Amino acid sequence: MTSTYLVALGSNRRHHLYGRPREVVRAAMEELAALGAVIARSPVIATAPMGAAQRRFANAAVVIESEYDPLALLAGLKRMEREFGRRPGRRWGDRVLDCDIVLWSGGIWRGGELAIPHPEFRRRDFVLRPATAIAPHWKDPISGLSVAQLNARLTRARTLPR
């Protein structure tokens, strides 16, 4: 059975073959074809460092159709991260490639090291902005809001208290 996934990609370290993080993300988008059919690619955006990371990130999102179940797709993404040179280390640190399953056509998945929807995606502009470009109507199965609505809530201007 084919499933559809929204996958977020990010990089903030150079790769010896692909070069700058923007090119690492573009190369990763192409490599995802080994895991299924990439049916949509967002533009690659530049975002500020987060947590312990020191360098700016390049981020993007893809929609992929795959025969893999969520755990098998996660294993494939982790293998791809290692092939790109990601080393185990501290959370939020600099990395050559980071791949996260954000949403799945099957709705909610909880098990092992995987939670879908990704628990933090609703608060991450660097995920929602690219995702809105390619899957604005995809609904979060927990909140019932679309990706575009979540992005609008996150990025709307707020008035300061008086």
Side-chain angles (χ1 to χ4, degrees), residues 1 18 31 41-42 49 61 68 73 85 88 97 100 105 109 112-113 116 125 130 138 149-150 153:
M1 181 171 120
Y18 303 116
E31 291 297 320
R41 293 174 175 81
S42 77
Y68 290 117
L73 183 67
L97 182 62
D100 290 313
S105 59
W109 177 281
E113 61 185 88
I116 305 172
D125 175 63
W138 196 330
Q149 289 169 320
L150 290 166
R153 282 184 171 202

PDB file of all heavy atoms in Angstrom, residues 1 18 31 41-42 49 61 68 73 85 88 97 100 105 109 112-113 116 125 130 138 149-150 153:
ATOM      1  N   MET A   1       0.838  -1.181   0.000  1.00  0.00           N
ATOM      2  CA  MET A   1       0.000   0.000   0.000  1.00  0.00           C
ATOM      3  C   MET A   1       0.885   1.247   0.000  1.00  0.00           C
ATOM      4  O   MET A   1       1.834   1.354   0.752  1.00  0.00           O
ATOM      5  CB  MET A   1      -0.893  -0.015   1.232  1.00  0.00           C
ATOM      6  CG  MET A   1      -1.814   1.164   1.309  1.00  0.00           C
ATOM      7  SD  MET A   1      -3.001   0.921   2.637  1.00  0.00           S
ATOM      8  CE  MET A   1      -2.592   2.329   3.617  1.00  0.00           C
ATOM      9  N   TYR A  18      28.887  17.956  -2.308  1.00  0.00           N
ATOM     10  CA  TYR A  18      27.773  18.814  -2.700  1.00  0.00           C
ATOM     11  C   TYR A  18      27.991  20.289  -2.374  1.00  0.00           C
ATOM     12  O   TYR A  18      27.314  21.145  -2.934  1.00  0.00           O
ATOM     13  CB  TYR A  18      26.468  18.327  -2.066  1.00  0.00           C
ATOM     14  CG  TYR A  18      26.167  16.898  -2.431  1.00  0.00           C
ATOM     15  CD1 TYR A  18      26.119  15.910  -1.462  1.00  0.00           C
ATOM     16  CD2 TYR A  18      25.951  16.535  -3.750  1.00  0.00           C
ATOM     17  CE1 TYR A  18      25.852  14.596  -1.790  1.00  0.00           C
ATOM     18  CE2 TYR A  18      25.691  15.221  -4.096  1.00  0.00           C
ATOM     19  CZ  TYR A  18      25.642  14.253  -3.110  1.00  0.00           C
ATOM     20  OH  TYR A  18      25.391  12.958  -3.443  1.00  0.00           O
ATOM     21  N   GLU A  31      18.094  12.431  -3.845  1.00  0.00           N
ATOM     22  CA  GLU A  31      18.362  11.104  -3.292  1.00  0.00           C
ATOM     23  C   GLU A  31      17.117  10.446  -2.699  1.00  0.00           C
ATOM     24  O   GLU A  31      17.048   9.227  -2.612  1.00  0.00           O
ATOM     25  CB  GLU A  31      19.461  11.179  -2.228  1.00  0.00           C
ATOM     26  CG  GLU A  31      20.834  11.502  -2.778  1.00  0.00           C
ATOM     27  CD  GLU A  31      21.352  10.443  -3.728  1.00  0.00           C
ATOM     28  OE1 GLU A  31      21.157   9.234  -3.467  1.00  0.00           O
ATOM     29  OE2 GLU A  31      21.958  10.817  -4.748  1.00  0.00           O
ATOM     30  N   ARG A  41       8.445  19.396  -4.415  1.00  0.00           N
ATOM     31  CA  ARG A  41       9.636  19.928  -3.749  1.00  0.00           C
ATOM     32  C   ARG A  41       9.410  21.403  -3.470  1.00  0.00           C
ATOM     33  O   ARG A  41       9.034  22.146  -4.365  1.00  0.00           O
ATOM     34  CB  ARG A  41      10.861  19.821  -4.656  1.00  0.00           C
ATOM     35  CG  ARG A  41      11.333  18.445  -4.956  1.00  0.00           C
ATOM     36  CD  ARG A  41      12.481  18.502  -5.998  1.00  0.00           C
ATOM     37  NE  ARG A  41      13.059  17.212  -6.261  1.00  0.00           N
ATOM     38  CZ  ARG A  41      12.530  16.305  -7.078  1.00  0.00           C
ATOM     39  NH1 ARG A  41      11.415  16.567  -7.736  1.00  0.00           N
ATOM     40  NH2 ARG A  41      13.122  15.139  -7.249  1.00  0.00           N
ATOM     41  N   SER A  42       9.691  21.829  -2.250  1.00  0.00           N
ATOM     42  CA  SER A  42       9.576  23.252  -1.923  1.00  0.00           C
ATOM     43  C   SER A  42      10.846  23.963  -2.357  1.00  0.00           C
ATOM     44  O   SER A  42      11.884  23.330  -2.599  1.00  0.00           O
ATOM     45  CB  SER A  42       9.406  23.436  -0.415  1.00  0.00           C
ATOM     46  OG  SER A  42      10.645  23.274   0.259  1.00  0.00           O
ATOM     47  N   PRO A  49      20.226  30.072  12.868  1.00  0.00           N
ATOM     48  CA  PRO A  49      20.653  28.926  13.693  1.00  0.00           C
ATOM     49  C   PRO A  49      19.659  28.696  14.839  1.00  0.00           C
ATOM     50  O   PRO A  49      18.977  29.622  15.275  1.00  0.00           O
ATOM     51  CB  PRO A  49      22.008  29.360  14.243  1.00  0.00           C
ATOM     52  CG  PRO A  49      22.448  30.509  13.431  1.00  0.00           C
ATOM     53  CD  PRO A  49      21.218  31.137  12.860  1.00  0.00           C
ATOM     54  N   ALA A  61      11.178  21.194   2.127  1.00  0.00           N
ATOM     55  CA  ALA A  61      10.254  20.094   2.392  1.00  0.00           C
ATOM     56  C   ALA A  61       9.939  19.401   1.071  1.00  0.00           C
ATOM     57  O   ALA A  61      10.020  20.011   0.009  1.00  0.00           O
ATOM     58  CB  ALA A  61       8.975  20.612   3.038  1.00  0.00           C
ATOM     59  N   TYR A  68       6.957   2.230   1.627  1.00  0.00           N
ATOM     60  CA  TYR A  68       7.465   1.988   2.981  1.00  0.00           C
ATOM     61  C   TYR A  68       6.461   2.420   4.038  1.00  0.00           C
ATOM     62  O   TYR A  68       5.799   3.445   3.898  1.00  0.00           O
ATOM     63  CB  TYR A  68       8.771   2.748   3.222  1.00  0.00           C
ATOM     64  CG  TYR A  68       9.952   2.214   2.461  1.00  0.00           C
ATOM     65  CD1 TYR A  68      10.583   2.999   1.512  1.00  0.00           C
ATOM     66  CD2 TYR A  68      10.447   0.936   2.700  1.00  0.00           C
ATOM     67  CE1 TYR A  68      11.679   2.524   0.810  1.00  0.00           C
ATOM     68  CE2 TYR A  68      11.538   0.449   2.008  1.00  0.00           C
ATOM     69  CZ  TYR A  68      12.151   1.250   1.062  1.00  0.00           C
ATOM     70  OH  TYR A  68      13.233   0.778   0.372  1.00  0.00           O
ATOM     71  N   LEU A  73      10.456   3.956   6.401  1.00  0.00           N
ATOM     72  CA  LEU A  73      10.870   5.221   5.798  1.00  0.00           C
ATOM     73  C   LEU A  73      11.844   5.949   6.725  1.00  0.00           C
ATOM     74  O   LEU A  73      12.859   6.476   6.267  1.00  0.00           O
ATOM     75  CB  LEU A  73       9.676   6.118   5.485  1.00  0.00           C
ATOM     76  CG  LEU A  73      10.063   7.424   4.782  1.00  0.00           C
ATOM     77  CD1 LEU A  73      10.603   7.164   3.377  1.00  0.00           C
ATOM     78  CD2 LEU A  73       8.879   8.387   4.725  1.00  0.00           C
ATOM     79  N   GLY A  85      27.003  12.001   5.730  1.00  0.00           N
ATOM     80  CA  GLY A  85      28.050  12.368   6.681  1.00  0.00           C
ATOM     81  C   GLY A  85      27.577  12.834   8.037  1.00  0.00           C
ATOM     82  O   GLY A  85      28.376  13.343   8.825  1.00  0.00           O
ATOM     83  N   PRO A  88      26.572  11.071  14.893  1.00  0.00           N
ATOM     84  CA  PRO A  88      25.789  11.215  16.126  1.00  0.00           C
ATOM     85  C   PRO A  88      26.424  12.301  16.990  1.00  0.00           C
ATOM     86  O   PRO A  88      27.633  12.481  16.992  1.00  0.00           O
ATOM     87  CB  PRO A  88      25.901   9.859  16.804  1.00  0.00           C
ATOM     88  CG  PRO A  88      26.669   8.973  15.903  1.00  0.00           C
ATOM     89  CD  PRO A  88      27.180   9.783  14.754  1.00  0.00           C
ATOM     90  N   LEU A  97      23.094  16.912   7.311  1.00  0.00           N
ATOM     91  CA  LEU A  97      21.734  16.674   6.822  1.00  0.00           C
ATOM     92  C   LEU A  97      20.848  16.195   7.954  1.00  0.00           C
ATOM     93  O   LEU A  97      21.255  15.354   8.760  1.00  0.00           O
ATOM     94  CB  LEU A  97      21.739  15.619   5.703  1.00  0.00           C
ATOM     95  CG  LEU A  97      20.389  15.309   5.055  1.00  0.00           C
ATOM     96  CD1 LEU A  97      19.802  16.541   4.369  1.00  0.00           C
ATOM     97  CD2 LEU A  97      20.522  14.165   4.069  1.00  0.00           C
ATOM     98  N   ASP A 100      13.291  14.736   8.651  1.00  0.00           N
ATOM     99  CA  ASP A 100      12.230  14.396   9.600  1.00  0.00           C
ATOM    100  C   ASP A 100      10.920  14.136   8.874  1.00  0.00           C
ATOM    101  O   ASP A 100      10.531  14.912   7.995  1.00  0.00           O
ATOM    102  CB  ASP A 100      11.993  15.547  10.585  1.00  0.00           C
ATOM    103  CG  ASP A 100      13.131  15.729  11.564  1.00  0.00           C
ATOM    104  OD1 ASP A 100      13.588  14.723  12.142  1.00  0.00           O
ATOM    105  OD2 ASP A 100      13.563  16.883  11.755  1.00  0.00           O
ATOM    106  N   SER A 105       0.029  10.285   5.394  1.00  0.00           N
ATOM    107  CA  SER A 105      -1.353  10.137   4.933  1.00  0.00           C
ATOM    108  C   SER A 105      -2.166   9.203   5.824  1.00  0.00           C
ATOM    109  O   SER A 105      -3.394   9.256   5.814  1.00  0.00           O
ATOM    110  CB  SER A 105      -1.380   9.650   3.478  1.00  0.00           C
ATOM    111  OG  SER A 105      -0.707   8.405   3.363  1.00  0.00           O
ATOM    112  N   TRP A 109       0.958   8.275  14.058  1.00  0.00           N
ATOM    113  CA  TRP A 109       1.795   7.101  14.321  1.00  0.00           C
ATOM    114  C   TRP A 109       2.578   7.370  15.594  1.00  0.00           C
ATOM    115  O   TRP A 109       3.200   8.421  15.730  1.00  0.00           O
ATOM    116  CB  TRP A 109       2.764   6.871  13.157  1.00  0.00           C
ATOM    117  CG  TRP A 109       3.708   5.735  13.376  1.00  0.00           C
ATOM    118  CD1 TRP A 109       4.845   5.724  14.136  1.00  0.00           C
ATOM    119  CD2 TRP A 109       3.613   4.428  12.833  1.00  0.00           C
ATOM    120  NE1 TRP A 109       5.443   4.502  14.091  1.00  0.00           N
ATOM    121  CE2 TRP A 109       4.708   3.686  13.297  1.00  0.00           C
ATOM    122  CE3 TRP A 109       2.695   3.819  11.985  1.00  0.00           C
ATOM    123  CZ2 TRP A 109       4.918   2.352  12.950  1.00  0.00           C
ATOM    124  CZ3 TRP A 109       2.911   2.491  11.630  1.00  0.00           C
ATOM    125  CH2 TRP A 109       4.002   1.776  12.103  1.00  0.00           C
ATOM    126  N   GLY A 112       8.148   3.415  19.091  1.00  0.00           N
ATOM    127  CA  GLY A 112       9.603   3.449  19.049  1.00  0.00           C
ATOM    128  C   GLY A 112      10.122   4.873  19.090  1.00  0.00           C
ATOM    129  O   GLY A 112       9.698   5.679  19.915  1.00  0.00           O
ATOM    130  N   GLU A 113      10.996   5.173  18.169  1.00  0.00           N
ATOM    131  CA  GLU A 113      11.608   6.504  18.118  1.00  0.00           C
ATOM    132  C   GLU A 113      10.883   7.455  17.172  1.00  0.00           C
ATOM    133  O   GLU A 113      11.404   8.512  16.829  1.00  0.00           O
ATOM    134  CB  GLU A 113      13.066   6.379  17.703  1.00  0.00           C
ATOM    135  CG  GLU A 113      13.228   5.758  16.325  1.00  0.00           C
ATOM    136  CD  GLU A 113      14.670   5.512  15.935  1.00  0.00           C
ATOM    137  OE1 GLU A 113      15.174   4.427  16.268  1.00  0.00           O
ATOM    138  OE2 GLU A 113      15.264   6.400  15.308  1.00  0.00           O
ATOM    139  N   ILE A 116       4.425  10.678  14.568  1.00  0.00           N
ATOM    140  CA  ILE A 116       3.852  11.443  13.458  1.00  0.00           C
ATOM    141  C   ILE A 116       2.444  11.828  13.877  1.00  0.00           C
ATOM    142  O   ILE A 116       1.702  10.958  14.331  1.00  0.00           O
ATOM    143  CB  ILE A 116       3.787  10.610  12.154  1.00  0.00           C
ATOM    144  CG1 ILE A 116       5.139  10.049  11.768  1.00  0.00           C
ATOM    145  CG2 ILE A 116       3.232  11.459  11.018  1.00  0.00           C
ATOM    146  CD1 ILE A 116       5.084   9.055  10.596  1.00  0.00           C
ATOM    147  N   ASP A 125       8.832  27.558  12.081  1.00  0.00           N
ATOM    148  CA  ASP A 125       8.704  28.302  10.831  1.00  0.00           C
ATOM    149  C   ASP A 125       9.516  27.645   9.718  1.00  0.00           C
ATOM    150  O   ASP A 125       9.081  27.588   8.574  1.00  0.00           O
ATOM    151  CB  ASP A 125       9.166  29.748  11.059  1.00  0.00           C
ATOM    152  CG  ASP A 125       9.179  30.548   9.790  1.00  0.00           C
ATOM    153  OD1 ASP A 125       8.101  30.736   9.198  1.00  0.00           O
ATOM    154  OD2 ASP A 125      10.275  30.985   9.383  1.00  0.00           O
ATOM    155  N   PRO A 130       8.327  26.114   4.182  1.00  0.00           N
ATOM    156  CA  PRO A 130       8.472  25.277   2.970  1.00  0.00           C
ATOM    157  C   PRO A 130       7.278  24.346   2.748  1.00  0.00           C
ATOM    158  O   PRO A 130       6.851  24.133   1.619  1.00  0.00           O
ATOM    159  CB  PRO A 130       9.750  24.474   3.212  1.00  0.00           C
ATOM    160  CG  PRO A 130      10.455  25.137   4.326  1.00  0.00           C
ATOM    161  CD  PRO A 130       9.434  25.896   5.115  1.00  0.00           C
ATOM    162  N   TRP A 138      -2.815  20.250   3.474  1.00  0.00           N
ATOM    163  CA  TRP A 138      -2.660  19.028   4.258  1.00  0.00           C
ATOM    164  C   TRP A 138      -3.011  19.341   5.708  1.00  0.00           C
ATOM    165  O   TRP A 138      -2.469  20.259   6.298  1.00  0.00           O
ATOM    166  CB  TRP A 138      -1.238  18.504   4.152  1.00  0.00           C
ATOM    167  CG  TRP A 138      -1.084  17.071   4.599  1.00  0.00           C
ATOM    168  CD1 TRP A 138      -1.807  16.404   5.536  1.00  0.00           C
ATOM    169  CD2 TRP A 138      -0.122  16.150   4.112  1.00  0.00           C
ATOM    170  NE1 TRP A 138      -1.356  15.118   5.672  1.00  0.00           N
ATOM    171  CE2 TRP A 138      -0.315  14.936   4.808  1.00  0.00           C
ATOM    172  CE3 TRP A 138       0.894  16.230   3.172  1.00  0.00           C
ATOM    173  CZ2 TRP A 138       0.474  13.810   4.596  1.00  0.00           C
ATOM    174  CZ3 TRP A 138       1.680  15.112   2.947  1.00  0.00           C
ATOM    175  CH2 TRP A 138       1.470  13.910   3.649  1.00  0.00           C
ATOM    176  N   GLN A 149      -2.810  27.124   7.577  1.00  0.00           N
ATOM    177  CA  GLN A 149      -3.383  27.758   8.764  1.00  0.00           C
ATOM    178  C   GLN A 149      -2.386  27.761   9.922  1.00  0.00           C
ATOM    179  O   GLN A 149      -2.253  28.767  10.630  1.00  0.00           O
ATOM    180  CB  GLN A 149      -4.671  27.036   9.188  1.00  0.00           C
ATOM    181  CG  GLN A 149      -5.827  27.269   8.238  1.00  0.00           C
ATOM    182  CD  GLN A 149      -6.995  26.349   8.530  1.00  0.00           C
ATOM    183  OE1 GLN A 149      -6.824  25.167   8.843  1.00  0.00           O
ATOM    184  NE2 GLN A 149      -8.206  26.892   8.422  1.00  0.00           N
ATOM    185  N   LEU A 150      -1.674  26.655  10.107  1.00  0.00           N
ATOM    186  CA  LEU A 150      -0.658  26.597  11.160  1.00  0.00           C
ATOM    187  C   LEU A 150       0.442  27.625  10.914  1.00  0.00           C
ATOM    188  O   LEU A 150       0.887  28.306  11.841  1.00  0.00           O
ATOM    189  CB  LEU A 150      -0.065  25.188  11.252  1.00  0.00           C
ATOM    190  CG  LEU A 150      -1.000  24.106  11.790  1.00  0.00           C
ATOM    191  CD1 LEU A 150      -0.422  22.733  11.521  1.00  0.00           C
ATOM    192  CD2 LEU A 150      -1.276  24.313  13.275  1.00  0.00           C
ATOM    193  N   ARG A 153      -0.859  31.125  11.709  1.00  0.00           N
ATOM    194  CA  ARG A 153      -0.906  31.346  13.159  1.00  0.00           C
ATOM    195  C   ARG A 153       0.487  31.612  13.726  1.00  0.00           C
ATOM    196  O   ARG A 153       0.648  32.455  14.604  1.00  0.00           O
ATOM    197  CB  ARG A 153      -1.486  30.125  13.873  1.00  0.00           C
ATOM    198  CG  ARG A 153      -2.964  30.026  13.783  1.00  0.00           C
ATOM    199  CD  ARG A 153      -3.453  28.853  14.590  1.00  0.00           C
ATOM    200  NE  ARG A 153      -4.900  28.907  14.655  1.00  0.00           N
ATOM    201  CZ  ARG A 153      -5.618  28.309  15.597  1.00  0.00           C
ATOM    202  NH1 ARG A 153      -5.031  27.608  16.533  1.00  0.00           N
ATOM    203  NH2 ARG A 153      -6.925  28.408  15.591  1.00  0.00           N
TER     204      ARG A 153
END
